Coordinates of all heavy atoms in Angstrom, one line a residue:
S336 N 118.5 93.9 100.7 CA 117.8 95.1 101.4 C 118.9 96.2 101.6 O 118.6 97.0 102.5 CB 117.2 94.7 102.7 OG 116.0 94.0 102.4
G337 N 120.0 96.1 101.0 CA 121.0 97.2 101.1 C 121.5 97.3 102.6 O 121.5 96.3 103.3
D338 N 121.8 98.5 102.9 CA 122.3 98.8 104.3 C 121.4 98.3 105.4 O 121.8 98.0 106.5 CB 122.6 100.3 104.5 CG 123.8 100.7 103.5 OD1 124.5 99.9 103.0 OD2 123.9 101.9 103.3
A339 N 120.1 98.4 105.1 CA 119.1 98.1 106.2 C 119.1 96.6 106.5 O 118.8 96.2 107.7 CB 117.7 98.5 105.7
G340 N 119.5 95.7 105.6 CA 119.4 94.3 105.8 C 118.0 93.8 105.8 O 117.0 94.5 105.9
P341 N 117.8 92.5 105.7 CA 116.5 91.9 105.7 C 115.8 92.1 107.0 O 116.5 92.2 108.0 CB 116.7 90.4 105.3 CG 118.1 90.1 105.6 CD 118.9 91.4 105.5
L342 N 114.5 92.0 107.0 CA 113.7 92.1 108.2 C 113.8 90.8 109.0 O 113.8 90.8 110.3 CB 112.2 92.3 107.9 CG 111.8 93.6 107.3 CD1 110.4 93.5 106.7 CD2 111.9 94.7 108.4
A343 N 113.9 89.6 108.3 CA 113.8 88.3 109.0 C 114.3 87.3 108.0 O 114.5 87.5 106.8 CB 112.4 88.1 109.4
C344 N 114.4 86.1 108.5 CA 114.6 84.9 107.6 C 113.6 83.9 108.0 O 112.9 84.0 109.0 CB 116.1 84.4 107.8 SG 116.4 83.7 109.4
V345 N 113.5 82.9 107.1 CA 112.5 81.8 107.4 C 113.3 80.5 107.4 O 114.0 80.2 106.4 CB 111.4 81.7 106.3 CG1 110.3 80.7 106.7 CG2 110.8 83.1 106.0
E346 N 113.3 79.8 108.5 CA 114.1 78.6 108.6 C 113.1 77.4 109.0 O 112.5 77.4 110.0 CB 115.1 78.7 109.7 CG 116.2 79.8 109.4 CD 116.9 80.4 110.6 OE1 116.3 80.4 111.8 OE2 118.1 80.8 110.5
D347 N 113.0 76.5 108.1 CA 112.1 75.3 108.3 C 110.7 75.8 108.7 O 110.1 75.3 109.7 CB 112.7 74.4 109.3 CG 113.5 73.3 108.6 OD1 114.0 73.5 107.5 OD2 113.7 72.2 109.2
G348 N 110.2 76.8 108.1 CA 108.9 77.3 108.4 C 108.8 78.2 109.6 O 107.7 78.8 109.9
Q349 N 109.9 78.4 110.3 CA 109.9 79.4 111.4 C 110.5 80.7 111.0 O 111.6 80.8 110.4 CB 110.8 78.8 112.6 CG 110.4 77.4 113.1 CD 109.1 77.5 113.7 OE1 108.8 78.3 114.5 NE2 108.2 76.5 113.3
V350 N 109.8 81.8 111.4 CA 110.3 83.1 111.0 C 111.2 83.6 112.2 O 110.8 83.6 113.3 CB 109.1 84.1 110.8 CG1 109.6 85.5 110.5 CG2 108.2 83.5 109.7
R351 N 112.4 84.0 111.8 CA 113.3 84.6 112.8 C 113.6 86.1 112.5 O 114.2 86.3 111.4 CB 114.6 83.8 112.9 CG 115.6 84.3 113.9 CD 116.6 83.2 114.3 NE 117.4 82.8 113.2 CZ 118.6 83.4 112.9 NH1 119.1 84.4 113.6 NH2 119.3 82.9 111.8
S352 N 113.1 87.0 113.3 CA 113.2 88.4 113.0 C 114.6 88.9 113.4 O 115.1 88.6 114.4 CB 112.1 89.2 113.8 OG 110.9 88.9 113.3
F353 N 115.1 89.8 112.5 CA 116.4 90.5 112.8 C 116.2 91.8 113.4 O 117.1 92.4 114.1 CB 117.2 90.6 111.5 CG 117.6 89.3 110.9 CD1 117.5 89.2 109.5 CD2 118.0 88.2 111.6 CE1 117.8 88.0 108.9 CE2 118.3 87.0 111.0 CZ 118.2 86.9 109.6
R354 N 115.1 92.4 113.2 CA 114.8 93.8 113.7 C 113.3 94.0 113.7 O 112.6 93.2 113.1 CB 115.5 94.8 112.8 CG 115.2 94.8 111.3 CD 116.1 95.7 110.5 NE 115.9 95.5 109.1 CZ 115.2 96.3 108.3 NH1 114.4 97.2 108.8 NH2 115.1 96.0 107.0
P355 N 112.9 95.0 114.4 CA 111.4 95.2 114.4 C 110.9 95.5 113.0 O 111.5 96.2 112.2 CB 111.3 96.5 115.3 CG 112.6 96.7 115.9 CD 113.6 96.0 115.1
W356 N 109.7 94.9 112.8 CA 109.0 95.1 111.5 C 108.2 96.4 111.5 O 107.0 96.4 111.1 CB 108.1 93.9 111.2 CG 108.8 92.6 111.0 CD1 109.8 92.2 111.6 CD2 108.4 91.6 110.1 NE1 110.2 90.9 111.2 CE2 109.3 90.5 110.2 CE3 107.3 91.5 109.1 CZ2 109.2 89.4 109.5 CZ3 107.2 90.3 108.4 CH2 108.2 89.3 108.6
S357 N 108.8 97.5 111.9 CA 108.0 98.7 112.0 C 107.6 99.0 110.6 O 108.5 99.1 109.7 CB 108.8 99.8 112.6 OG 110.1 99.8 112.0
P358 N 106.3 99.1 110.3 CA 105.9 99.3 108.9 C 106.5 100.7 108.5 O 106.6 101.6 109.3 CB 104.4 99.4 109.0 CG 104.0 99.1 110.4 CD 105.3 99.0 111.2
A359 N 106.9 100.7 107.2 CA 107.4 102.0 106.7 C 106.4 103.1 106.9 O 105.2 102.9 106.7 CB 107.7 101.8 105.2
P360 N 106.9 104.3 107.3 CA 105.9 105.4 107.5 C 105.2 105.7 106.2 O 105.8 105.6 105.1 CB 106.8 106.5 107.9 CG 108.2 106.1 107.6 CD 108.3 104.6 107.5
A361 N 104.0 106.0 106.3 CA 103.2 106.4 105.2 C 103.8 107.6 104.5 O 104.1 108.6 105.1 CB 101.7 106.7 105.6
G362 N 103.9 107.5 103.2 CA 104.5 108.6 102.4 C 103.4 109.7 102.2 O 102.3 109.5 102.6
P363 N 103.8 110.8 101.6 CA 102.9 111.9 101.5 C 101.7 111.6 100.6 O 100.6 112.2 100.7 CB 103.7 113.0 100.8 CG 104.9 112.3 100.2 CD 105.1 111.1 101.0
T364 N 101.8 110.6 99.8 CA 100.7 110.2 98.9 C 99.9 109.1 99.3 O 99.0 108.7 98.7 CB 101.4 109.9 97.5 OG1 102.2 108.7 97.7 CG2 102.1 111.0 96.9
H365 N 100.3 108.5 100.5 CA 99.6 107.3 100.9 C 98.1 107.5 101.2 O 97.7 108.5 101.6 CB 100.4 106.8 102.2 CG 99.7 105.8 102.9 ND1 99.7 104.5 102.5 CD2 98.8 105.8 104.0 CE1 99.0 103.7 103.3 NE2 98.4 104.5 104.2
G366 N 97.4 106.4 101.0 CA 96.0 106.4 101.5 C 95.0 106.1 100.5 O 95.2 105.8 99.3
T367 N 93.7 106.2 101.0 CA 92.6 105.7 100.2 C 92.4 106.7 99.0 O 91.9 106.3 98.0 CB 91.3 105.7 101.0 OG1 91.2 106.9 101.8 CG2 91.3 104.5 101.9
S368 N 92.7 108.0 99.2 CA 92.4 108.9 98.0 C 93.4 108.5 96.9 O 93.1 108.6 95.7 CB 92.6 110.3 98.4 OG 93.9 110.6 98.8
L369 N 94.6 108.1 97.3 CA 95.6 107.7 96.2 C 95.1 106.5 95.5 O 95.2 106.3 94.3 CB 97.0 107.4 96.9 CG 98.0 106.9 95.9 CD1 98.3 108.0 94.8 CD2 99.3 106.5 96.6
L370 N 94.5 105.5 96.3 CA 94.0 104.3 95.7 C 92.9 104.7 94.7 O 92.9 104.2 93.6 CB 93.4 103.4 96.8 CG 92.8 102.1 96.3 CD1 93.7 101.2 95.6 CD2 92.2 101.3 97.5
A371 N 92.0 105.6 95.1 CA 90.9 105.9 94.2 C 91.5 106.6 92.9 O 91.0 106.3 91.8 CB 90.0 106.9 94.9
R372 N 92.5 107.4 93.1 CA 93.0 108.1 91.9 C 93.8 107.1 91.0 O 93.7 107.1 89.8 CB 94.0 109.2 92.3 CG 93.3 110.4 92.7 CD 94.2 111.5 93.1 NE 93.4 112.6 93.7 CZ 93.5 113.8 93.4 NH1 94.4 114.2 92.5 NH2 92.8 114.7 93.9
L373 N 94.5 106.1 91.6 CA 95.2 105.1 90.8 C 94.2 104.3 90.0 O 94.4 104.0 88.9 CB 96.0 104.2 91.7 CG 96.9 103.2 90.9 CD1 98.3 103.6 90.9 CD2 96.7 101.8 91.4
L374 N 93.1 103.9 90.7 CA 92.1 103.0 90.0 C 91.4 103.8 88.9 O 91.0 103.2 87.9 CB 91.1 102.5 91.1 CG 91.6 101.6 92.1 CD1 90.5 101.1 93.1 CD2 92.3 100.4 91.5
A375 N 91.3 105.1 89.0 CA 90.6 105.9 88.0 C 91.5 106.3 86.9 O 91.0 106.8 85.8 CB 89.9 107.1 88.6
A376 N 92.8 106.2 87.1 CA 93.8 106.8 86.1 C 93.8 106.0 84.8 O 93.7 104.7 84.8 CB 95.2 106.9 86.7
S377 N 94.1 106.7 83.7 CA 94.3 106.0 82.4 C 95.8 105.8 82.2 O 96.2 105.0 81.4 CB 93.6 106.7 81.3 OG 94.1 108.0 81.2

Side-chain angles (χ1 to χ4, degrees):
S336 285
D338 293 343
L342 290 166
C344 64
V345 190
E346 297 160 329
D347 269 24
Q349 302 297 313
V350 178
R351 181 159 63 91
S352 294
F353 299 138
R354 56 188 169 97
W356 295 36
S357 45
T364 59
H365 168 79
T367 47
S368 65
L369 177 64
L370 177 62
R372 281 182 190 227
L373 183 109
L374 294 181
S377 56

